[in-house]
Amino acid sequence: MNLAAAATNENLAHTSNVLIYSSMAVYTLAFFAHIAEWVFGSRSKVGRTAAALTGAGAGAGAAGSVKVQVAQKGGGTAVLDRPKIVTRAAAGSRDVPDGPGAAGGTFKGDLYGRIAVALTVVAFLVEAGGVLTRALSVQRAPWGNMYEFSITFSTVAVGTYLVLLGLKKNVRWMGLALVTTVLLDLGIATTVLYTASDQLVPALHSYWLWIHVSTAILCGAVFYIGAVGTLLYLFRDSYESKLARGEEPSSFAQSVLSRLPAAASLDKFSYRINAAVFPLWTFTIIAGAIWAGDAWGRYWGWDPKEVWSFITWVAYACYLHARATAGWKGRKAAYLALIAFGCWLFNYYGVNIFVTGKHSYAGV
């Protein structure tokens, strides 16, 4: 019976590996579809005139919507409403419209974008299957080491993105960055961090493994989404500033940055994402302390993982506090948000790989 169970678990572990590699193949197809969306979107009239629309945002905003004619397949034309005007959140605000998106308003670009999203959904389901079969092969939560944490993290990140899409949020512009990062994450997980299915040390056999680590994974995935929005906000804000000064942006900026949401939209999006998940990160640290009390007889021991979790909490708390201070909105607050996410990344990769502590027993 034990031999049969061991063989079943081994087969499940093999199936998990196959599913993870299969998801990487589908994510690669989604990556190329997203590339095609951006490429074909840049050829559209909407894409070429986005910079002009952005530059005219403040003056034309009060005059009502602007109509843009876009050539369609078959020789006809379609009239698109000018993107909705939004107000920049930073001091010295300016009214700027959202860009037309990666597809640029074109039929072909939008088609490739929809294909990319469909492929991302398929890859997500396949990867989720890989995570589930990994859990079945070890009969525990599938995040007992860095390999399992990584494949679960990327699954949750993509799931968060798809949920936002399902809620009709304007986040398709994030697809290319997300898929690229997921491929890098899975590539590192399957080559450098891979660990064969095995049971955990006694200290990890607790229901807190399901609570503490699952919330840490969810927080990390959402923090990542916020960090992407923050980084793109900085690029888009620089692009808008050049237009406001009457300067000529680079061809890259006119082709790519002009199609992103306005800096105000990206700024607001990142802030709301980080603010929404911060209470859960607070709970994660508290849950970890309670688990440490059960496992090691103390709630806090200045272990490197505990210290950097707290540093990350402080960094995000400073960011949220800075957002409530008028002088620290906009770019300054964005830099703080990226520093905070950098702390989270170091807490995951740096502490686990380069620093020895009580959290090192799981290995990579």
Side-chain angles (χ1 to χ4, degrees), residues 148-207:
E148 296 172 356
F149 191 102
S150 294
I151 61 175
T152 307
F153 167 80
S154 58
T155 303
V156 175
V158 175
T160 303
Y161 166 73
L162 295 177
V163 167
L164 291 174
L165 282 178
L167 295 175
K168 307 299 182 182
K169 302 298 182 180
N170 177 22
V171 295
R172 204 165 88 182
W173 46 268
M174 187 183 293
L176 179 58
L178 176 70
V179 170
T180 302
T181 306
V182 167
L183 283 171
L184 290 173
D185 175 74
L186 291 178
I188 294 173
T190 54
T191 55
V192 179
L193 304 178
Y194 180 76
T195 304
S197 298
D198 199 2
Q199 293 303 313
L200 301 176
V201 297
L204 285 179
H205 285 289
S206 170
Y207 60 87

Side-chain angles (χ1 to χ4, degrees), residues 5 9 34 53 63 84 99 152 167 223 275 362:
N9 292 339
H34 276 298
L53 285 174
K84 181 182 179 181
T152 307
L167 295 175
F223 280 147

Side-chain angles (χ1 to χ4, degrees), residues 125-140:
L125 294 175
V126 174
E127 186 183 10
V131 173
L132 177 60
T133 51
R134 175 77 176 197
L136 294 175
S137 71
V138 291
Q139 299 180 1
R140 58 167 171 78

Side-chain angles (χ1 to χ4, degrees), residues 60-151:
S65 63
V66 174
K67 303 294 184 180
V68 181
Q69 286 190 339
V70 182
Q72 282 189 321
K73 194 173 182 180
T77 60
V79 179
L80 301 180
D81 287 329
R82 178 181 173 176
K84 181 182 179 181
I85 301 297
V86 294
T87 302
R88 189 167 179 259
S93 63
R94 54 180 178 263
D95 293 334
V96 176
D98 286 332
T106 64
F107 171 80
K108 186 171 289 188
D110 183 67
L111 175 62
Y112 279 110
R114 292 177 183 275
I115 291 174
V117 172
L119 289 170
T120 302
V121 172
V122 173
F124 164 76
L125 294 175
V126 174
E127 186 183 10
V131 173
L132 177 60
T133 51
R134 175 77 176 197
L136 294 175
S137 71
V138 291
Q139 299 180 1
R140 58 167 171 78
W143 40 74
N145 50 59
M146 287 187 68
Y147 168 73
E148 296 172 356
F149 191 102
S150 294
I151 61 175

Side-chain angles (χ1 to χ4, degrees), residues 237-254:
D237 184 68
S238 178
Y239 165 74
E240 291 179 7
S241 296
K242 285 185 177 181
L243 290 177
R245 294 192 301 266
E247 299 178 8
E248 183 71 18
S250 65
S251 57
F252 173 80
Q254 292 178 351

Side-chain angles (χ1 to χ4, degrees), residues 296 298 300-309 351 356-360:
W296 301 318
R298 81 327 180 251
W300 191 265
W302 298 104
D303 181 76
K305 177 70 71 172
E306 297 169 351
V307 171
W308 275 97
S309 294
V351 173
T356 301
K358 283 186 172 293
H359 287 78
S360 300

